[in-house]
């Protein structure tokens, strides 16, 4: 894991890019690579690369970037890991390529020398890659298939700037940070900004599974090289064959992600996914696995310390714990805003930071995490809830004439609005009457009936034709076109793999672990396992009122049965209590007195109502208020600085 950045002013007559600019940009991401740094100036001063190194493979100076291939016409900066690099290296060396290090970085260069842009189909891993090809006079950027690593870019007036983090792009004097109002609208719904947009106007993110090429004549092309679509033909196998295949793929994925020349471990919550990581890692090691757990001393209902200790004892791990409270949250808040770049309004970022810091302080540099399992195997209660609504009601109601649905929707919403409760039902009835899809994402905070109330009158007017439906529809329409026979659960999963997983959950993991100079690896999101899981029928994932059944049955031979089938608790944070107890007034002041108020983006009378209802325990607006707090502090840190 590293930090990369670069500039190419292909439209410039003379070279205006120098090493000091590259150093300034890369040093803004020093936390991503505290071990070393490097710069390169190319194209007669029109372009440059910057690099911060977190040494994981080949700790020698031979692994420093920017790095060139067999000749100096091809240069690379690269963040991430290529897990099949050793296998690829054998073939490349056999065909005459000469290596100068043991790094996986070099394999990317040699593959590109052989295969050009098709190199991306050979590599397996988590990566953000930038290549300068002097022969073709082109810059190439690539983001990994699932979106584990971030990559951002800015392109205006012949000047292209990219980086692992937006804060590095903002170091360029040509870039003025401004808020993007359309992205703000979507952020309030999804707690993040959907790709390719960010909350910064004119700064974009490269979507997962995409490649960008920029030519010297200014031609920019972004194309998708991998997609999470279910297979065209269903995988017809017995349950036993499915279980054997899943265990083989997961075991192989964990083994590959143990590739490291520095200490590694596991974030252990005590749930199914992290416990599986521990169990399968321990069987491949001759020493104890390093495990790390975080708990709360003021929110016992969220703690999974007992479960984590049980698994640690069962598999003989070297276990570490840290206990935090609202004080640690308040202490971390300024740094949280800095490291997120743009708001990732998931309060889990707070405990994630402290468990990452615990790992780093213990000397562990690489950790495996459990993200992705619930998405590909349908483990969330919310997925099962929407599936049951669809199968028991929605698919039948969709067949009614639209006029009938609109009438029923209007009557039901009026009755429900009068009670002031059941926000989800109100929004679902609106979608039914508007002929919109049932499922919009695993987390929808400000929905289309509620969001207008928090926006100012002026912003509502400016965005009057906008709906976050356009984000959801872009993905659902694509799977409808490419896989017309796919079922509701497959489409739900596809949407999550395109939006919430890469741009909220994985960015949460990347930004916060990197804040402590720790690399997180995600074995459940090996693309081979994802592709296999996407081909599993609905009946193997969801039974009755719970999901993830085929995975649980697969793991029965390695994990305690009661752990597998107890109700899912999830990794959380006490955001409800934070806004009601000691810090409630302080939080309210941060939002209500924010300099963002001068922009007239929000209706602060309504925001005040949310605070009052929450603190009086009339309603729980914890997540809604956390989104506004993140937004307000982000604005003051990055826009109004």
């Amino acid at each position: 894991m590293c930090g990369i950045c670069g500039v190419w002013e292909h439209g410039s007559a003379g070279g205006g890019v120098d090493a000091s600019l590259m150093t300034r940009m890369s040093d803004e991401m020093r936390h991503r690579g505290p071990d070393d740094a490097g710069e390169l100036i190319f194209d007669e001063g029109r372009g440059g690369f910057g690099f911060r190194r977190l040494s994981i493979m080949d700790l020698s100076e031979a692994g420093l970037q920017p790095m060139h291939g067999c000749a100096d016409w091809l240069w690379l900066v690269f963040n991430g890991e290529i897990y099949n690099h050793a296998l690829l290296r054998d073939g490349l060396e056999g065909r005459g390529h000469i290596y100068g290090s043991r790094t996986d970085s070099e394999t990317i260069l040699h593959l590109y020398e052989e295969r050009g842009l098709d190199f991306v189909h050979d590599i397996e891993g988590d990566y953000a890659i930038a290549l300068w090809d002097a022969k073709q006079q082109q810059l190439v950027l690539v983001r990994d298939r699932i979106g584990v690593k971030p990559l951002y870019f800015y392109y205006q007036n012949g000047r292209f700037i990219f980086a692992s983090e937006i804060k590095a792009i903002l170091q360029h004097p040509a870039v003025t940070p401004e808020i993007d109002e359309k992205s703000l609208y979507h952020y309030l719904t999804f707690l993040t900004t959907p790709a390719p947009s960010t909350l910064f106007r004119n700064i974009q993110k490269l979507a997962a599974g995409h490649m960008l090429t920029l030519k010297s004549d200014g031609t920019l092309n972004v194309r998708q090289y991998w997609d999470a679509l279910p297979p065209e033909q269903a995988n017809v196998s017995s349950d036993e064959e499915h279980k054997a295949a899943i265990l083989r793929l997961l075991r192989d994925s964990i083994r590959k992600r143990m590739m490291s020349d520095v200490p590694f471990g596991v974030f252990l919550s005590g749930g199914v996914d992290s416990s599986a990581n521990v169990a399968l890692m321990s069987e491949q090691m001759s020493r104890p696995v390093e495990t790390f757990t975080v708990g709360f001393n003021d929110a016992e209902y969220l703690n999974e310390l007992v479960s984590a200790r049980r698994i640690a004892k069962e598999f003989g791990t070297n276990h570490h714990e840290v206990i935090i409270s609202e004080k640690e949250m308040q202490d971390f808040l300024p740094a949280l805003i800095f490291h997120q770049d743009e708001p990732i309004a998931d309060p889990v970022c707070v405990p994630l930071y402290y468990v990452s810091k615990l790992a780093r302080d213990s000397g562990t540099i690489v950790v495996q995490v459990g993200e992705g399992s619930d998405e590909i195997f349908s483990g969330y209660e919310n997925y099962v809830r929407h599936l049951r609504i669809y199968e028991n009601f929605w698919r039948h109601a969709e067949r009614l004439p639209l006029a009938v649905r609109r009438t029923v929707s209007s009557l039901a919403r009026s009755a429900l609005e009068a009670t002031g409760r059941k926000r989800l039902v109100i929004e679902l009835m609106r979608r039914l009457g508007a002929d919109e899809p049932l499922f919009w994402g695993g987390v929808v905070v400000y929905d289309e009936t509620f969001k207008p109330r928090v926006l100012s009158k002026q912003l509502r007017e400016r965005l009057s034709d906008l709906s976050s439906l356009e984000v959801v529809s872009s993905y659902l329409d694509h799977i409808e076109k490419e896989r017309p026979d796919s079922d509701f659960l497959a489409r739900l999963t596809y949407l999550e793999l395109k939006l919430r997983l890469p741009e909220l959950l994985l960015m949460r993991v990347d930004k916060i672990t990197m804040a402590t100079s720790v690399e997180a690896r995600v074995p459940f999101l090996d693309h081979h396992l994802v592709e296999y899981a996407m081909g599993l029928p609905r009946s193997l994932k969801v039974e009755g009122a719970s999901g993830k059944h085929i995975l649980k049955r697969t793991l029965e031979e390695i994990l305690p049965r009661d752990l597998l089938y107890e109700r899912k608790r999830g990794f959380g944070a006490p955001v409800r209590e934070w806004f009601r107890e000691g810090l409630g007034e302080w939080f309210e002041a941060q939002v209500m007195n924010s300099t963002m108020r001068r922009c007239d983006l929000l209706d602060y009378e309504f925001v005040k109502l949310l605070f009052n209802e929450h603190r009086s325990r009339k309603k729980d607006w914890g997540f809604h208020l956390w989104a506004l707090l993140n937004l307000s502090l982000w604005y003051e840190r990055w826009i109004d600085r």
Side-chain angles (χ1 to χ4, degrees), residues 71-240:
D72 61 3
W73 59 267
L74 181 65
W75 286 85
L76 163 86
V77 282
F78 156 61
N79 166 32
E81 309 294 339
I82 306 301
Y83 299 120
N84 65 334
H85 80 99
L87 181 63
L88 293 169
R89 176 175 180 148
D90 289 342
L92 288 162
E93 287 183 321
R95 295 189 296 275
H97 291 269
I98 300 172
Y99 277 73
S101 74
R102 295 188 299 103
T103 66
D104 49 350
S105 312
E106 241 186 305
T107 294
I108 299 171
L109 287 160
H110 296 311
L111 273 177
Y112 183 90
E113 289 168 342
E114 274 198 3
R115 291 176 45 75
L117 298 178
D118 286 338
F119 83 95
V120 73
H121 301 298
D122 289 354
I123 59 176
E124 299 178 7
D126 311 320
Y127 46 81
I129 298 169
L131 290 158
W132 165 245
D133 181 340
K135 280 187 178 180
Q136 299 292 328
Q137 284 287 292
Q138 72 177 2
L139 185 68
V140 180
L141 301 186
V142 186
R143 187 177 176 196
D144 65 78
R145 293 172 177 84
I146 309 296
V148 177
K149 307 300 183 194
L151 195 53
Y152 302 93
F153 65 93
Y154 166 98
Y155 188 36
Q156 295 286 313
N157 304 317
R159 177 182 289 114
F160 187 88
I161 309 169
F162 73 89
S164 297
E165 297 189 3
I166 294 172
K167 61 178 68 68
I169 294 175
L170 296 178
Q171 287 297 305
H172 196 291
V175 182
T176 300
E178 298 177 290
I179 191 168
D180 185 293
E181 292 182 351
K182 182 177 178 181
S183 295
L184 166 62
Y185 185 90
H186 296 319
Y187 159 78
L188 289 171
T189 293
F190 303 116
L191 299 183
T192 188
T193 54
S197 299
T198 74
L199 209 49
F200 293 88
R201 184 179 299 162
N202 296 326
I203 296 179
Q204 294 183 277
K205 62 186 79 166
L206 189 61
H210 280 66
M211 172 185 289
L212 177 153
T213 56
L214 177 63
K215 297 283 192 177
S216 58
D217 64 1
T219 302
L220 186 146
N221 179 56
V222 178
R223 68 175 179 87
Q224 183 169 258
Y225 67 88
W226 184 87
D227 202 359
L229 289 166
E232 293 188 72
Q233 299 295 325
N235 187 346
V236 180
S237 301
S238 69
D239 286 8
E240 291 304 312

